[in-house]
Amino acid sequence: MSNTLFIDGQEIPFAPGQTIMDASLEAGIYIPHLCHKPGLTPHGSCKLCTVEVDGRSVSACTLPAAAGMKVDNNTPALQEVRKTLVQMLFVEGNHLCPTCSKTGDCTLQALGYHFGMLDGHFPPFYPRREVDASHPDLVLDRDRCVLCELCVRASREQDGKNVFAISGRGASAHIIVNTSSGKLGDSDLTLDDAAAHICPVGAILPKNHGCEVPFGRRTFDLHSVAESDVAHVGLQKTEHHDE
Amino acid sequence: MPKSLSSGAGQQPHDHLLHRLHDLQSRFLHIPPLEIAPLATELDLPVSQVESVIDFYSFFHRSPRGRFDILFSNCTSCGGLTLMQQLCGLLGVQPGVTRADGMVSIDQTSCVGMCDQGAAVLVNGRTLVRLTAAQLPHLAQLVNTATPLDEWPADWFAVQDNIRHAGLLLNDTLSAGDGLRAAVQAGADQLLAEIRQASLRGRGGAGFPTAMKWQFCRDATAPEHYVVCNADEGEPGTFKDRVLLHSYAQQVFEGMALCAYVIKAQHGFLYLRGEYRYLVPSLEATLDAMRTANLLGENILNQPGFNFDISIVLGAGAYICGEESALLESLEQKRGVPRVRPPFPVTHGYLGQPTVVDNVETLVAAVHIAVHGGEWFRAHGTAQSAGSKVFSVSGDCTAPGIYEYPFGISVQDLLEACGGQDAQAVQIGGPSGTLIGRAEFGRKLAFEDLATGGSIMIYSAQRDLLAVVRNFTHFFAHESCGFCTPCRVGTPLLRKYLDKIASGHGTVYDREEMARLGKLVKRRSHCGLGQTAANPLLDLLAKFPQVYAERLLHQDYEPFFNLDAALTTTRELTHRDDAEAHLS
Ligand SMILES: Cc1cc2nc3c(=O)[nH]c(=O)nc-3n(C[C@H](O)[C@H](O)[C@H](O)COP(=O)(O)O)c2cc1C
Ligand code: SF4
Ligand code: SF4
Ligand code: FES
Ligand code: FES
């Protein structure tokens, strides 16, 4: 049997060891994702990449592709599920987009646009979360953290450090810093680490860069999150990737 | 921590992070911040790992608990929240807030597995059963006089087995080593063949064929193999493993050794829920006796190279650690977060090595099969569910306790056996299982009909089923590990909807939204916890719709924001709780 699978009826190839997500990204097919970034160990927690294989709900970013697999991806029902999941992520944290310097470059927000989300829909949690401004170059604003663990993995797998971890349980799960003080300023995180730039939302932000690219001209003001060629969005680039 | 936990033949329990944290918690009544970094250094773990474990497990605290830390079960069977309020009154404390003199703290905790002899509480981790209102003044006095627990009335701590009906396993008197002797005589291949012949399926709930699991693990080549006995028994209403571990512990451990013999494991772990800590001394004594009898250790029963020993690892209040991959994470001194599968534990388990995780009862059944053969076992039960099942029966019946029957017994027959005929509803398999009403009492308890890990909770007509379902929904929100979005955010949202409806503020729209969200959580969550968390509220909707309908407001919309509730903080600050301080 040849190494191909079907995404919404379209036949695409895959290499042994690839996940459904790997194969479809390579073929230029967008499966929504938030906690996934090629090159890092797949995590499978946000569930935005939820697809259906033979009617079974699975995470595209973690499930190995198999020959002949029939995957439902872009169906109205699944888009509705994903929209609901994005709404859930919004109400869980404290996302005041108009005051957030990541706005326009934020993947969570972009997913909201993509699914036509107009409100948070559910009662907001208004959690109390700590802001850590102890680092000279970076700020950790937990209000916006979506617990994707991209920073955790980037630090361990790409930077060869171990700066971040998730602590706690259930709705009290939160990101922590691997220092005895728990402060980012005491960690060995530096501005050129992958972990310093990988946050898809505005939870880890460089200091001293506010509005170099004006609202309205930021990545997702000009592009859809589904465009496969949108380069990775690190925030506050002095040069916008379009210019 | 009992010293005995440091035994275990060259294995790590003595230095296990959970044990060290239990130790700190009981010495300092919390985990002192200054102890954390040195502990991390000593155990060679990142400090963030120690921090994250402290905050994951319910039994570790950041600020001091009382010298007497009293936790009331909030289960619908062994719970006693009214008693909790009374005791709070007697001792002058608020739930969750340590008394100013540091003497006492009182709080609630998830089901402690004493559903047949509630109300149950944990006092400094020790289990106290059959608590009644009449005892409370005495208990309060013992606390106020700082009387050590060893001087409290001994019968308060006397947990009973309450075996009401014994069957295939519980009636069968085996001597220590019978199973192992039969196994080494027949050989590992033959033992595995008998287990297959028996059609034994896992008793932890999922019903996976045990022989297949052992075979997969045996076939996986790796430096080490492990056997883990899942004694986390956290499903509310389940307590049969408690009884097996108390009165049949020899067979539990022998079952682990049988599995080790088949898969060629040298080490095994009993992962015991923290609530069953009182069982540790007797379990360690059984292990010692088995070592002396050469049923554990080196060259077991003089079989060259059959080396196997077991250590006990004690959990710390986290239902999710019963999920097998979360359990493995916990064994590896981490937060109990279920792993992504594949790969499965049979190939990538403890420390990445092939591992069998089996329920307590499954392992006990394996011993009987080793002795009597697969045909003997298969002659009982139904075609798809061979053998017997040990049920934990609790709730509104005259004789709660342990009932062992062949698979296939009807709910009605079981209700008659335990004096629960007046039930309006029965929760089969605990909150994660199925709620049924009278019309379904003819259904059979078996994998092919009503599957259950053993929890049978009975509700009479006097019970408010919405309160029951609300209790379960709170349980899941409290126990969600927080890994995946649907469950981490969905379970607290479902709790909000149910609270709103139960308090008389819900509308038809809320009920519909709750059902829509419930289906999403059920279908899209990462593990079995999220996938079952909405079962109670969806079952109630399908089978007892009037229970919701009676509580709904007849209007289109009512906001979640509740003005009266929003004034709570103000009332607290002004020390007012009179009628004037409330709206409506
Ligand atoms: C949330 C959750 C909790 C569980 N708790 C337990 C438990 O306490 N005891 C148990 O044996 N199995 C429990 N299980 C099932 C285990 O994951 C696993 O299937 C079982 O231990 C396998 O053993 P068995 O094949 O002998 O049944 C739980 C599963 C989930 C999803
Ligand atoms: S800080 Fe950002 S990258 Fe890290 S877990 Fe939170 S949202 Fe993800
Ligand atoms: S379903 Fe719940 S318990 Fe299971 S992984 Fe997701 S958050 Fe954790
Ligand atoms: S992208 Fe697959 S679960 Fe997050
Ligand atoms: S705009 Fe998304 S987190 Fe700030």
Side-chain angles (χ1 to χ4, degrees):
Chain A
M1 213 172 182
S2 70
N3 277 346
T4 61
L5 77 162
F6 300 85
I7 312 251
D8 294 328
Q10 185 183 336
E11 186 168 8
I12 61 164
F14 72 92
Q18 281 192 316
T19 60
I20 299 174
M21 179 70 77
D22 294 334
S24 53
L25 286 180
E26 228 162 74
I29 297 176
Y30 178 66
I31 299 180
H33 53 278
L34 180 61
C35 73
H36 183 69
K37 181 80 57 191
L40 293 175
T41 307
H43 195 238
S45 64
C46 75
K47 301 298 173 203
L48 285 173
C49 70
T50 295
V51 293
E52 285 170 17
V53 175
D54 300 326
R56 202 166 59 95
S57 186
V58 299
S59 305
C61 69
T62 57
L63 194 74
M69 208 178 225
K70 293 191 177 54
V71 181
D72 285 335
N73 169 38
N74 192 5
T75 67
L78 281 171
Q79 295 296 77
E80 184 63 27
V81 166
R82 293 161 179 163
K83 175 168 126 182
T84 305
L85 290 171
V86 173
Q87 289 171 321
M88 290 163 81
L89 286 169
F90 266 102
V91 296
E92 182 194 23
N94 296 310
H95 296 272
L96 304 167
C97 294
T99 70
C100 174
S101 44
K102 186 91 176 184
T103 198
D105 283 335
C106 169
T107 308
L108 183 68
Q109 208 184 40
L111 285 161
Y113 299 151
H114 182 70
F115 297 122
M117 171 186 147
L118 297 175
D119 64 352
H121 190 80
F122 298 108
F125 290 18
Y126 298 127
R128 273 183 209 207
R129 295 184 181 167
E130 251 175 75
V131 175
D132 179 348
S134 60
H135 194 283
D137 302 318
L138 294 152
V139 61
L140 174 61
D141 184 345
R142 293 183 175 86
D143 275 338
R144 302 168 186 145
C145 174
V146 290
L147 302 166
C148 68
E149 295 195 38
L150 280 169
C151 59
V152 177
R153 285 173 282 155
S155 181
R156 292 178 194 173
E157 298 172 19
Q158 296 187 334
D159 303 332
K161 302 179 182 178
N162 181 13
V163 174
F164 296 104
I166 301 287
S167 182
R169 177 167 105 194
S172 340
H174 57 284
I175 190 95
I176 60 168
V177 176
N178 183 26
T179 55
S180 9
S181 64
K183 292 290 177 214
L184 199 57
D186 294 330
S187 76
D188 52 356
L189 182 73
T190 57
L191 200 49
D192 51 2
D193 283 352
H197 300 279
I198 201 161
C199 183
V201 294
I204 302 176
L205 290 172
K207 287 182 173 173
N208 307 319
H209 296 267
C211 291
E212 283 152 4
V213 180
F215 296 163
R217 296 203 45 72
R218 296 185 172 191
T219 311
F220 298 118
D221 297 326
L222 306 170
H223 297 273
S224 149
V225 71
E227 287 171 40
S228 55
D229 56 345
V230 175
H232 166 61
V233 184
L235 178 64
Q236 277 91 342
K237 299 166 292 295
T238 315
E239 285 190 333
H240 198 269
H241 83 273
D242 274 340
E243 301 175 29
Chain B
M1 182 61 20
K3 255 218 196 62
S4 48
L5 276 178
S6 38
S7 63
Q11 291 160 60
Q12 59 166 8
H14 163 62
D15 285 331
H16 198 281
L17 175 58
L18 288 178
H19 295 175
R20 298 300 293 271
L21 292 173
H22 274 302
D23 197 20
L24 288 173
Q25 176 67 41
S26 51
R27 268 166 59 211
F28 299 104
L29 310 176
H30 71 306
I31 311 294
L34 291 177
E35 300 283 338
I36 294 172
L39 179 62
T41 310
E42 191 193 331
L43 297 183
D44 198 18
L45 297 172
V47 68
S48 57
Q49 186 169 335
V50 177
E51 295 277 0
S52 67
V53 164
I54 296 170
D55 282 340
F56 188 86
Y57 295 88
S58 301
F59 292 166
F60 304 136
H61 300 278
R62 293 289 185 169
S63 56
R65 307 290 282 195
R67 277 174 62 189
F68 292 92
D69 187 28
I70 306 177
L71 299 177
F72 281 78
S73 164
N74 59 18
C75 145
T76 61
S77 290
C78 59
L81 295 187
T82 316
L83 296 181
M84 179 180 89
Q85 289 303 343
Q86 290 169 5
L87 189 63
C88 282
L90 286 171
L91 285 168
V93 284
Q94 290 292 317
V97 184
T98 304
R99 203 166 77 181
D101 64 356
M103 186 60 88
V104 58
S105 51
I106 299 179
D107 213 336
Q108 44 178 298
T109 190
S110 299
C111 177
V112 298
M114 298 292 150
C115 318
D116 54 335
Q117 45 203 304
V121 303
L122 298 175
V123 185
N124 295 348
R126 281 183 61 183
T127 306
L128 199 153
V129 287
R130 298 183 300 277
L131 185 68
T132 61
Q135 274 164 273
L136 292 181
H138 187 189
L139 197 159
Q141 182 221 329
L142 291 170
V143 168
N144 280 330
T145 52
T147 308
L149 284 186
D150 287 338
E151 293 166 28
W152 289 28
D155 60 322
W156 289 10
F157 301 98
V159 177
Q160 293 168 355
D161 278 355
N162 291 331
I163 298 176
R164 311 283 184 192
H165 189 272
L168 203 55
L169 305 181
L170 302 182
N171 261 336
D172 189 22
T173 43
L174 296 181
S175 304
D178 281 355
L180 273 168
R181 276 185 290 272
V184 298
Q185 201 172 5
D189 291 334
Q190 186 55 31
L191 172 60
L192 188 56
E194 292 295 341
I195 306 268
R196 186 176 300 112
Q197 182 64 27
S199 301
L200 175 63
R201 296 172 66 175
R203 268 45 180 163
F208 192 83
T210 306
M212 204 190 285
K213 190 189 283 188
W214 291 16
Q215 180 85 54
F216 284 148
C217 188
R218 172 189 167 102
D219 291 346
T221 42
E224 297 282 349
H225 289 66
Y226 294 98
V227 185
V228 176
C229 173
N230 187 343
D232 198 52
E233 191 160 66
E235 187 73 35
T238 317
F239 51 88
K240 48 108 189 162
D241 292 343
R242 175 196 93 209
V243 173
L244 294 174
L245 292 163
H246 180 252
S247 298
Y248 298 81
Q250 150 75 36
Q251 292 178 25
V252 177
F253 293 134
E254 205 169 318
M256 293 175 71
L258 291 179
C259 177
Y261 186 55
V262 169
I263 66 168
K264 298 193 170 45
Q266 309 227 5
H267 300 292
F269 296 97
L270 177 84
Y271 187 88
L272 184 69
R273 68 185 311 219
E275 290 82 345
Y276 289 170
R277 181 179 179 157
Y278 74 98
L279 288 171
V280 170
S282 69
L283 290 169
E284 289 288 1
T286 303
L287 286 175
D288 278 338
M290 290 176 74
R291 288 178 191 124
T292 309
N294 191 217
L295 298 172
L296 286 177
E298 311 256 295
N299 304 323
I300 291 172
L301 292 177
N302 300 319
Q303 298 294 302
F306 182 11
N307 307 330
F308 179 67
D309 211 328
I310 295 169
S311 31
I312 299 172
V313 172
L314 194 62
Y319 165 67
I320 189 59
C321 289
E323 194 281 337
E324 56 182 11
S325 66
L327 186 159
L328 294 170
E329 291 285 296
S330 183
L331 274 185
E332 291 181 12
Q333 319 187 81
K334 295 185 258 178
R335 296 162 76 232
V337 173
R339 296 176 178 172
V340 169
R341 281 158 298 171
F344 291 90
V346 282
T347 58
H348 295 73
Y350 178 64
L351 302 177
Q353 305 298 304
T355 303
V356 164
V357 182
D358 269 334
N359 175 254
V360 174
E361 187 184 345
T362 312
L363 293 163
V364 169
V367 178
H368 293 262
I369 293 166
V371 174
H372 302 296
E375 278 306 330
W376 165 83
F377 189 78
R378 209 172 145 167
H380 302 85
T382 71
Q384 288 158 74
S385 311
S388 64
K389 183 78 193 82
V390 183
F391 298 106
S392 317
V393 177
S394 69
D396 303 327
C397 61
T398 52
I402 296 292
Y403 292 78
E404 187 192 11
Y405 283 103
F407 265 121
I409 184 178
S410 71
V411 175
Q412 183 63 40
D413 287 348
L414 187 55
L415 287 175
E416 279 164 22
C418 70
Q421 299 93 319
D422 296 337
Q424 63 164 326
V426 181
Q427 183 75 28
I428 310 286
S432 72
T434 315
L435 176 70
I436 60 167
R438 298 193 74 92
E440 296 181 85
F441 286 179
R443 292 178 65 182
K444 307 235 172 292
L445 296 164
F447 292 113
E448 62 272 24
D449 189 357
L450 286 167
T452 166
S455 169
I456 307 286
M457 301 162 100
I458 302 170
Y459 300 108
S460 73
Q462 280 73 49
R463 289 267 192 155
D464 172 9
L465 291 180
L466 192 66
V468 169
V469 165
R470 186 169 159 249
N471 175 295
F472 294 164
T473 306
H474 278 242
F475 168 77
F476 287 117
H478 182 255
E479 299 296 340
S480 166
C481 83
F483 174 74
C484 71
T485 311
C487 174
R488 183 186 68 243
V489 189
T491 54
L493 281 175
L494 292 172
R495 178 177 60 192
K496 279 182 201 249
Y497 279 111
L498 265 183
D499 286 354
K500 187 177 178 188
I501 293 171
S503 68
H505 292 277
T507 62
V508 171
Y509 176 71
D510 290 315
R511 188 190 59 197
E512 300 305 308
E513 278 300 293
M514 178 185 76
R516 180 177 75 93
L517 182 65
K519 286 176 195 148
L520 182 147
V521 173
K522 183 180 168 81
R523 187 113 196 262
R524 314 296 174 180
S525 288
H526 176 69
C527 86
L529 190 155
Q531 288 160 9
T532 57
N535 284 357
L537 60 91
L538 292 174
D539 279 351
L540 188 70
L541 191 56
K543 299 174 188 182
F544 299 88
Q546 75 284 1
V547 173
Y548 287 106
E550 283 160 7
R551 311 291 174 99
L552 296 181
L553 285 176
H554 297 284
Q555 64 190 47
D556 290 343
Y557 183 74
E558 163 88 3
F560 268 90
F561 180 74
N562 179 324
L563 198 50
D564 186 59
L567 290 173
T568 308
T569 322
T570 317
R571 279 192 294 266
E572 274 167 18
L573 289 172
T574 53
H575 300 289
R576 281 187 57 182
D577 202 18
D578 53 294
E580 295 279 291
H582 285 272
L583 294 158
S584 76

